[in-house]
């Protein structure tokens, strides 16, 4: 008997028939509190900041200047660019563009200073941005290996209140990365230290009418 | 389960040693109190916590009741998404599968995401025996691995180490495994984390094979989910060419939507955060993004035996948040190593004896590693009634009885060393089954109160070495109650 048959047989022996389907009580809240779209964006900004992400607000006209400034302040000489990132976002930036290519090695990614991406959506209550590998976000590894990640969130369109509101908007067949603040560890005496293996600096740009 | 812990002293001996260690106790007290206070605040933020807890329990119970169906659905979904599914009935089989998969890649080293399942089966040791180096990449697991130590906590495996000890381990050991610690390394957590970053980064960048576990597997979509904070998980799950995930069969949940419950309850219960910094979800393989080869090893290793126990099976709901460890007065003083198992604390006290059986001395003593205060049940985000299972397992240790071992229903004998207890239980049952004898005995005791000895004879002596024998009441509760009722009746009869 194969291990599969063996395990399935043991399960069936362990459970008495009949086994009716249970109703899962889903009376938990779909969102915690009622907010206007603007308040939801404010909550996202507050929770991101509490998790040590740096939050900026800008409108379409100002994003190129803001990105150029953030990259310059960082001293970045190279920036990773996903294939679908709107070109005008980086129109004013100096660093060399490195394109997201399947063939690039982890060592090449490690030599890049910064990465700029969009996102699939952001969750206000938990201060989370979710990436799904779409054209504005690129492969999972480009937001992981460089030490500086700038993520642009379109507000209020890409912002939801809660986790239950986020899941129906996501496609599970795509690789999903949920990011809440920069990489952190609490493994040494439970003191929180930002930046272990993922980017030590996460900047989030809330892009929309000011 | 793994042979790593063979030869460990039984819980009372190990705990006695541990509570004498003042550094250990101070480290544990600091850590458990910090995290339990933070957790209480994080949970209090959600006004629907009790409803989320009930939903999480219901999802897990429903899945366990149809585990065969959901595992088959999961296998089909993972396969359709480009992955390969393997089934392992026990630790040896899982280790053999993983070793062969690594060998087939031609690689001699793997990077690992912290995983309780691979700890449980002793995978690192099995790989080492096959000439394959397995590098732990979670900071705490790295501290444990470099310190030739064992994990002592589910979430924070190096909770028993303070910063000075960690500095010494890094300075002494990093060079033997790869990039040495920087000269003059201090004990600031920031400096220590940086040393770990540099040491591990060279391993991440060259790794071709990674081994992980998973927090959840979604049957409907074939999606696997890993919660983490540091990014070491993301490194292992996305940079290598081959990914091998070893996951206990109880980690499956039916639908993608069900994640909305656990994404809210797991981070708040474990790290006391609204959300952990990184969660990675992957479904089979994705073109050009992440590993091109994905293997899922479904692990039984005692889980179906646990499922066969109607009271004990609720332990399989566990989502490994470790909240029960942080509130447990016994864990706080004894530490994780005393449990002699990869699953320490209250959950370990019910999970290990079920996965491994109560045959060994350590497993027979684990159901007693508790005061039954109930704090573990209160904090459990899937409402596992740990005290109920502890009492159930104590009964099994003392009296023996029917259990399922490796799929076969057997009757186990009472464990050795519980003779006095068993005799007491038998005597108690004899009396409790015969109310007249009990009443007579109680009256007799009340009359004989002046004859009360200061010390008990026989097996009770140890108890009275450190305690006063309680005074016997003038009359038994029954007599007192009967008299009270009678007085009330008489009073009620008179207007």
């Amino acid at each position: 008997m194969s291990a599969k048959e063996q395990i399935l047989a043991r399960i069936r022996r362990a459970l008495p028939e009949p086994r009716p389907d249970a109703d899962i009580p889903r009376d938990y809240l779909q969102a915690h509190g009622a907010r206007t779209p603007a308040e939801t964006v404010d909550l996202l900004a507050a929770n991101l900041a509490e998790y040590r992400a740096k939050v900026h607000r800008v409108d379409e006209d100002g994003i190129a200047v803001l990105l150029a400034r953030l990259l310059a302040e960082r001293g970045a000489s190279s920036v990773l660019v996903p294939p679908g990132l709107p070109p005008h976002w980086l129109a004013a930036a100096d660093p060399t563009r490195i394109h997201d290519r399947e063939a690039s090695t982890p060592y090449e990614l490690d030599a890049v200073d910064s990465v700029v991406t969009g996102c699939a959506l952001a969750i206000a209550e938990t201060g989370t941005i979710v990436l799904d590998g779409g054209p504005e976000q690129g492969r999972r590894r480009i937001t992981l290996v460089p030490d500086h990640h700038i993520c642009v969130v379109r507000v209020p369109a890409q912002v939801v209140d809660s986790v239950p509101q986020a899941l129906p908007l996501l496609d599970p067949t795509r690789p999903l990365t949920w990011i809440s603040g920069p990489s952190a560890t609490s493994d040494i005496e439970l003191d929180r230290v930002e930046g272990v293996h993922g980017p030590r600096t996460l900047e989030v740009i809330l892009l929309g009418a000011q | 389960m793994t042979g790593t812990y063979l030869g460990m002293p039984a819980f009372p001996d190990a705990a006695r040693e541990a509570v004498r260690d003042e550094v250990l106790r101070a480290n544990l007290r600091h850590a458990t109190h910090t995290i339990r206070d933070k957790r209480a605040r994080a949970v209090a933020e959600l006004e629907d916590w009790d409803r989320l807890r009930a939903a999480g329990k219901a999802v897990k119970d429903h899945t366990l009741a149809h585990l065969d169906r959901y595992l088959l659905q999961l296998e089909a979904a993972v396969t359709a998404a480009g992955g390969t599914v393997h089934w392992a009935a026990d630790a040896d089989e899982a280790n053999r599968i993983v070793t062969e998969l690594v060998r087939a890649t031609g690689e001699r080293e793997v990077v690992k995401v912290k995983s309780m399942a691979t700890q449980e089966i002793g995978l690192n040791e099995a790989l080492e025996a096959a000439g394959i180096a397995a590098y732990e990449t979670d900071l705490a697991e790295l501290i444990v691995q470099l310190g030739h130590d064992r994990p002592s906590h589910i979430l924070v495996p190096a909770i028993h180490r303070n910063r000075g000890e960690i500095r010494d381990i890094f300075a002494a050991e990093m060079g033997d495994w790869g990039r040495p610690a920087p000269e003059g390394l201090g004990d600031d957590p920031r400096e220590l984390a940086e040393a770990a970053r540099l040491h591990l980064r060279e391993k991440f960048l060259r790794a071709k094979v990674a081994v992980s576990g998973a927090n959840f597997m979604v049957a409907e979509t074939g999606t696997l989910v890993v919660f983490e904070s540091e990014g070491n998980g993301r490194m292992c799950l996305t940079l290598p060419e081959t990914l091998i995930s070893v996951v206990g069969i109880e980690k499956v949940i039916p639908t993608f939507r069900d994640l909305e419950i656990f994404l809210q309850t797991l981070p708040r219960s474990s790290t006391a955060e609204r959300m952990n910094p990184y969660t990675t979800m992957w479904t089979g393989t994705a073109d050009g993004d992440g590993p091109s080869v994905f293997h899922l090893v479904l692990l039984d290793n005692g889980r179906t035996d646990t499922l066969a126990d109607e009271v004990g099976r609720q332990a399989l709901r566990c989502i490994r948040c470790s909240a029960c460890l942080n509130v447990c007065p016994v864990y706080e003083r004894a530490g994780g190593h005393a449990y002699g198992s990869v699953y320490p604390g209250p959950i370990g006290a019910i999970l290990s004896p079920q996965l491994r059986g109560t045959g060994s001395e350590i497993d027979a003593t684990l159901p007693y590693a508790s005061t039954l205060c109930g704090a573990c049940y209160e904090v459990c985000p899937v409402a596992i009634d740990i005290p109920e299972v502890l009492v159930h397992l104590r009964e099994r240790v003392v009296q023996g009885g029917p259990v399922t071992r490796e799929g076969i229903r057997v009757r186990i004998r009472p464990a050795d060393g519980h003779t006095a207890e068993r005799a007491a239980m038998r005597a108690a049952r004899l009396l409790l089954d015969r109310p007249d004898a009990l009443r007579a005995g109680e009256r007799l005791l009340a009359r004989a109160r002046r004859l009360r000895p200061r010390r008990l004879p026989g097996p009770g002596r140890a108890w009275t070495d450190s305690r006063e024998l309680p005074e016997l009441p003038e009359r038994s509760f029954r007599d007192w109650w009967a008299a009270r009722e009678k007085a009330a009746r008489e009073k009620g009869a008179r207007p």
Side-chain angles (χ1 to χ4, degrees):
Chain A
M1 192 157 56
S2 72
K4 176 179 171 180
E5 289 163 0
Q6 204 178 341
I7 292 169
L8 291 172
R10 286 180 186 180
I11 292 170
R12 286 166 189 151
R13 226 174 310 146
L15 299 166
E17 299 285 353
R19 296 184 258 155
D21 279 347
D23 277 333
I24 309 300
R26 294 200 194 263
D27 53 353
Y28 47 83
L29 299 175
Q30 289 302 298
H32 297 83
R35 298 171 204 98
T36 64
E39 286 168 342
T40 302
V41 173
D42 288 344
L43 180 65
L44 173 67
N47 282 338
L48 282 164
E50 199 183 322
Y51 281 3
R52 318 278 167 85
K54 296 176 185 163
V55 182
H56 311 274
R57 291 175 185 246
V58 76
D59 59 18
E60 276 290 344
D61 293 341
I63 188 166
V65 173
L66 175 63
L67 276 169
R69 178 168 68 79
L70 295 179
L71 291 167
E73 281 172 2
R74 177 80 186 179
S77 60
S78 56
V79 58
L80 255 163
V81 184
L85 201 76
H88 72 272
W89 286 4
L90 285 173
D94 288 331
T96 311
R97 272 62 153 174
I98 311 284
H99 293 281
D100 172 26
R101 295 182 306 124
E102 190 182 342
S104 62
T105 66
Y107 292 99
E108 288 165 4
L109 295 174
D110 193 33
V112 180
D113 296 315
S114 300
V115 56
V116 178
T117 72
C119 70
L121 56 81
I123 304 166
E125 284 182 8
T126 57
T128 305
I129 52 178
V130 183
L131 309 184
D132 69 356
E136 290 188 358
Q137 299 147 56
R139 278 168 253 270
R140 280 174 280 176
R141 58 191 192 169
I142 70 168
T143 54
L144 170 64
V145 182
D147 205 18
H148 179 217
H149 177 199
I150 304 175
C151 182
V152 180
V153 182
R154 290 187 173 82
V155 297
Q158 286 186 317
V159 186
V160 298
D161 277 296
S162 66
V163 170
Q165 287 178 4
L167 283 167
L169 303 176
L170 295 168
D171 177 357
T173 64
R174 306 179 76 103
L176 300 173
T177 305
W178 297 47
I179 300 173
S180 307
S183 159
T185 185
S186 300
D187 280 349
I188 302 167
E189 296 183 20
L190 295 175
D191 274 358
R192 188 177 167 103
V193 176
E194 271 81 41
V196 194
H197 305 301
R200 277 179 283 204
T201 309
L202 172 67
E203 303 203 59
V204 178
I205 297 178
L206 303 176
L207 173 65
Q210 292 305 291
Chain B
M1 280 168 73
T2 171
T4 313
Y5 294 91
L6 277 184
M8 285 289 292
F11 183 84
D13 299 326
R16 201 174 297 121
E17 283 296 303
V19 293
R20 280 197 203 110
D21 184 340
E22 284 178 25
V23 175
L24 174 73
R25 263 174 40 213
N27 295 352
L28 283 169
R29 191 167 49 240
H30 168 70
T32 54
H33 281 258
T34 305
I35 200 162
R36 87 166 69 149
D37 297 344
K38 273 180 65 188
R39 179 201 162 273
R41 285 198 294 277
V43 165
E45 267 190 18
L46 297 188
E47 59 197 280
D48 58 341
W49 183 260
D50 286 342
R51 282 170 272 169
L52 284 166
R53 186 178 187 238
K57 171 184 186 288
V59 166
K60 281 288 194 172
D61 277 345
H62 168 77
T63 317
L64 290 172
H66 302 276
L67 194 54
D68 47 349
R69 184 214 296 177
Y70 288 119
L71 288 173
L72 288 170
Q73 192 187 2
L74 174 76
E75 181 186 43
V78 170
T79 308
T84 309
V85 177
H86 311 259
W87 301 66
D90 58 26
D92 287 345
E93 190 163 19
N95 287 333
R96 203 162 51 238
I97 292 169
V98 177
T99 306
E100 280 165 18
L101 289 172
V102 178
R103 276 212 181 111
T105 66
E107 294 296 316
R108 302 300 294 270
E109 60 179 41
V110 302
V111 286
K112 283 191 67 209
V113 192
K114 173 177 163 332
S115 136
M116 300 303 296
T118 61
Q119 282 275 354
E120 176 191 318
I121 61 174
L123 178 65
N124 291 8
E125 293 78 7
L127 289 173
E128 197 187 325
I132 297 161
Y135 297 117
E136 294 292 348
T137 64
D138 170 74
L139 177 54
E141 288 285 357
L142 177 73
I143 295 165
V144 168
Q145 190 173 42
L146 291 177
H148 310 285
D149 198 359
R150 291 192 183 115
S152 66
H153 191 278
I154 289 173
L155 177 77
V156 204
I159 199 168
H160 57 293
R161 297 287 199 183
N162 62 33
R163 61 187 70 192
E165 296 173 284
I166 295 167
R167 192 217 77 91
D168 294 346
I169 290 168
F170 280 9
E173 301 287 339
M174 270 185 174
D176 290 347
W177 287 79
R179 183 177 175 135
E183 283 292 314
L185 178 68
D187 67 359
D188 177 51
R190 198 161 293 279
E191 234 180 305
L192 295 169
E194 179 66 17
R197 177 186 179 96
L198 295 171
H199 176 80
L200 284 173
R201 186 155 280 235
E202 62 168 36
K203 295 193 167 65
F204 289 133
L205 297 183
R206 69 166 186 244
K208 296 278 186 284
V209 184
V211 174
S212 83
N215 295 90
F216 299 96
M217 310 184 281
V218 181
E220 170 190 51
T221 58
T223 307
L224 270 76
V225 188
V226 165
F227 290 62
E228 52 127 3
S229 298
E230 297 170 7
N232 66 303
R234 292 182 65 195
M235 289 275 182
C236 295
L237 298 168
T238 56
L239 293 184
E241 291 161 10
T242 301
L243 171 62
I244 304 165
S245 300
V246 182
V247 190
I249 52 176
E250 82 285 13
K251 294 288 184 83
V252 67
I253 56 172
T255 68
F256 190 64
R257 183 188 175 186
D258 293 326
L259 286 171
E260 72 189 12
I261 300 163
F262 304 109
L263 278 160
Q264 295 188 78
T265 52
L266 178 52
R268 286 177 202 261
S269 286
S270 59
T271 53
E273 293 165 303
R274 291 186 195 108
M275 190 66 86
N276 49 298
Y278 296 130
T279 300
T280 298
M281 303 183 186
W282 73 100
T283 304
T285 55
D287 284 340
D289 186 354
S292 51
V293 179
F294 171 56
H295 293 278
L296 171 60
V297 181
L298 295 173
L299 178 71
D300 180 345
N301 204 34
R303 285 161 175 76
T304 49
D305 290 341
T306 308
L307 186 68
D309 187 311
E310 278 173 45
V311 178
R313 73 167 60 127
Q314 57 184 308
L316 297 175
R317 291 206 295 262
C318 177
I319 56 174
R320 313 279 190 261
C321 72
S322 73
C324 62
L325 277 63
N326 301 324
V327 296
C328 177
V330 176
Y331 177 87
E332 183 189 325
R333 286 162 183 86
H337 288 155
Y339 293 79
S341 139
V342 294
Y343 303 106
I347 186 64
I350 62 168
L351 200 52
S352 303
Q354 295 201 85
L355 294 177
R356 304 191 292 206
T358 46
S360 76
E361 201 192 345
I362 179 81
D363 288 311
T365 55
L366 281 179
Y368 295 87
S370 165
T371 63
L372 299 181
C373 73
C376 47
Y377 169 66
E378 294 300 320
V379 298
C380 178
V382 284
I384 302 171
D385 193 340
I386 296 177
E388 183 190 14
V389 183
L390 284 167
V391 172
H392 172 70
L393 293 175
R394 286 182 189 188
E395 198 179 303
R396 175 182 301 168
V397 168
V398 173
Q399 302 189 350
V403 290
T404 305
R405 301 305 314 157
E406 294 176 11
I408 299 160
R409 201 117 173 109
V410 291
R411 176 165 285 275
I412 56 161
R413 288 157 37 83
D416 295 337
H418 289 269
T419 334
E421 205 173 341
R422 201 154 53 245
M425 293 285 276
R426 242 184 252 131
R429 186 185 307 141
L430 193 82
L431 273 177
L432 292 168
D433 284 350
R434 294 170 180 73
D436 293 341
L438 181 63
R439 189 174 305 126
E442 285 172 352
R443 290 220 175 101
L444 188 64
L445 267 180
R447 306 272 146 72
R449 38 198 299 266
R450 284 181 205 292
L451 306 175
R452 180 179 69 104
R454 291 172 64 96
R455 289 284 185 84
L456 282 174
R461 193 183 300 127
W463 196 74
T464 46
D465 275 350
S466 53
R467 295 173 186 84
E468 290 288 315
L469 194 62
E471 290 217 26
L472 288 166
E474 269 179 64
R475 52 180 171 173
S476 72
F477 175 77
R478 287 157 180 257
D479 286 350
W480 172 81
W481 181 258
R484 184 182 168 277
E485 290 291 286
K486 191 168 164 236
R489 267 198 311 277
E490 282 166 3
K491 201 175 163 191
R494 278 197 299 266

